[in-house]
Amino acid sequence: MLLIQGGRVLRPDFECATADLVVDGDAIADIVAPGTVKDDNARRIDAAGKLLIPGLVNGHNHAQTNLAKGLFDRYNLETYLNAGPWATGRRTVEDHHLAAVIGAAEMVRKGCTAAYDMFVEFPVPSPAGVEAVAKGYADVGMRATIAPMMADRSFYAAIPGLAEALPEPLREQALKIKYAHHEQSLAACRQMIRGLKHGRDAIRPALGPTIPHHCSDEFLAGCRDLAKELDVGMQMHVGETKMQAVVAKRKYGKTMVAHLDSLGLLGPGFCVAHGVWLDDDDRARLADRGASVSHNPGSNMKLGSGMADARRMLDRGVNVAIGTDGAGCSDNLNVFEAMRMASFVSRVADHPPERWLSSREVFLAMSEGGAKALGFGGKIGRIERGYKADLVFLDLGHVHYVPLNDVLNQIVFCEDGTGVHSVMIGGRMVLEAGRFTTIDFARIAAQAESAVERLREANRGARELAEKLEPYVGQYCAGLAAMPYHVHRFCG
Ligand SMILES: [Zn+2]
C-alpha cells in the first residue's frame, strides 16, 4: 500500500481540499482525511505543498513527428501533407521507438499521462513498427491508444484535379508515391492488434484511416468491420480544413461526417480529430452515435485551418477531448497550453461570454473527455476511488499559484507545464521532482541528433521533390478551398 499524504486534491466536483490518497497497486483505493491511515508498513509520499490533479489526456498526436518538430513555419495542412514524405520518411523501427519516447517524455514532463497517437508508416503499417511505438510509450511509463494512420490513396491522388494540375515530370513523380492496397493494411492491423505485447490498460490498439477521401469506401468499410470484430476504436481526421469540406461535398455529395455515417463508421469508439468544418447536422450525427471529437486548437491555428466550435459540440452532446496534434504542426506537446488555447479560441468568434468555454469545461475535456475518446473511460481522468492512480503533482510554491486565488482557473489560465513537479502513472512515479525515473533523457537526446542527421540525408531527394511540388499544391488547394461552401459555425 502506498500513502500520498498532505496534498491538496482536485476532486471530480472541483472541490479542492487537503487529503491523503491510498494507492493499492495501480489504482486509487481510497481518499481520506489527512492522518487517518495509521498503517506503519505503508510506503509514504509527502505531497505537502503540492496540488494533485488527474493526469491529463491528449486527444490527438502523431509519434512520427517528434523527430520533425520545429521544421515548419508558414505551412497549411495541404503544404504540410505534401512535405510528409520527407519529414517522416525512411524511418527504421528504432526511429519509430525513439520518436515515441521523445513525445511521451515531453508529454509526461508537461503533465500528460495518456495520448491518442495516429502513428504512420509508409506505405503500410507494420506490427513491428506499431510495437516499437507502443514500447516507446511503455518505456516512459505512459498510457496510449495507438492507431496506425493509413490510406489507400496518396495525397496527390486523393484530391480531385490535383494530379492533373501538376506539370510533368512532377505529376509522374508525385503519382509514384503510392500506399499499399487496403487489404494489406487491414491484414497488418489485424496482426498488430492480436500480437500487441501490452495489456489494454496500458496500450490500446485502434485504427486510423487518416482522412475520408484518402481512403476508398471499401477500405473504410474494412476498418469498420475490423474495429467491430476486435473491439478497438478508430480515429480519423475529419473536417480539418475548408478544402476537405469542399472536396467531400464534391466527392460524396454530402459532408464527410454524413458519408462516414452512411458507411456505418460512427459509434462510441469513433473519434474525429479536429472537426473544424462541421455543420449542425454533423454535430448531431456525432452526438447521436456517441462519438468523440478531439479539438486541437493549437494545430488549427498554426496551420490556419480555422476554429472548431467546441461550444456547439458540447451543446449537442458530443464528447469533446482536447489534443495537441503532432510535433510537426503544433509543435510542442503541451496539454496545459492546449487547454488554455481551447478556452481562449472559444471567445474570439461571436459567442456571447456566457457561451465561452469555462475553465471547468476545458479541464473536463482535457481529462474525462479525453479518457472516453481514448477508450479509457471510467478508468482514468478523475481522482476517485477505483480509478487508476494517474496523478500530476503541481508545485503550489511555483509562481503560477502565488497567490492562490482560484485553483481551477490557475490550472487552466496560469499553468504552462513548468509547475509540474512529479507525475505518477498507474501508481508508479515516472517523473520525480522533474527527473525521469524510467528513461535516460541525455542518451535519448544523443540518439535523436544522430537519427535526424541520417534521416536528413536519406530524405534529401524526397525533400527536393516536395519543394518543387509545393507551389502547385499550395495554389491548387487554395483555389479549391476558395470554392463556395456554406456552413453554419459561429451563429451564437
Ligand atoms: Zn493529425
Side-chain angles (χ1 to χ4, degrees), residues 208-226:
T210 181
I211 301 170
H213 56 277
H214 290 226
C215 302
S216 62
D217 285 354
E218 300 78 60
F219 190 7
L220 293 173
C223 288
R224 171 199 65 206
D225 295 344
L226 189 62

Side-chain angles (χ1 to χ4, degrees), residues 226-311:
L226 189 62
K228 198 170 174 199
E229 180 194 331
L230 300 179
D231 187 26
V232 298
M234 200 187 303
Q235 189 170 64
M236 295 183 75
H237 299 95
V238 180
E240 181 172 354
T241 66
K242 187 177 172 218
M243 190 214 71
Q244 291 182 356
V246 170
V247 166
K249 281 276 171 83
R250 257 191 199 195
K251 229 177 144 49
Y252 307 127
K254 49 184 137 175
T255 68
M256 284 183 169
V257 171
H259 183 63
L260 295 174
D261 197 20
S262 70
L263 292 175
L265 266 78
L266 307 183
F270 190 88
C271 181
V272 161
H274 300 285
V276 176
W277 295 86
L278 303 183
D279 62 20
D280 289 341
D281 177 58
D282 294 333
R283 284 183 283 265
R285 285 175 194 271
L286 292 170
D288 293 345
R289 306 280 182 227
S292 300
V293 173
S294 176
H295 173 34
N296 313 311
S299 166
N300 294 340
M301 284 193 278
K302 191 184 178 216
L303 298 175
S305 304
M307 286 174 290
D309 194 337
R311 164 55 65 211

Side-chain angles (χ1 to χ4, degrees), residues 60 62 237 274 325:
H60 184 57
H62 297 274
H237 299 95
H274 300 285
D325 207 349

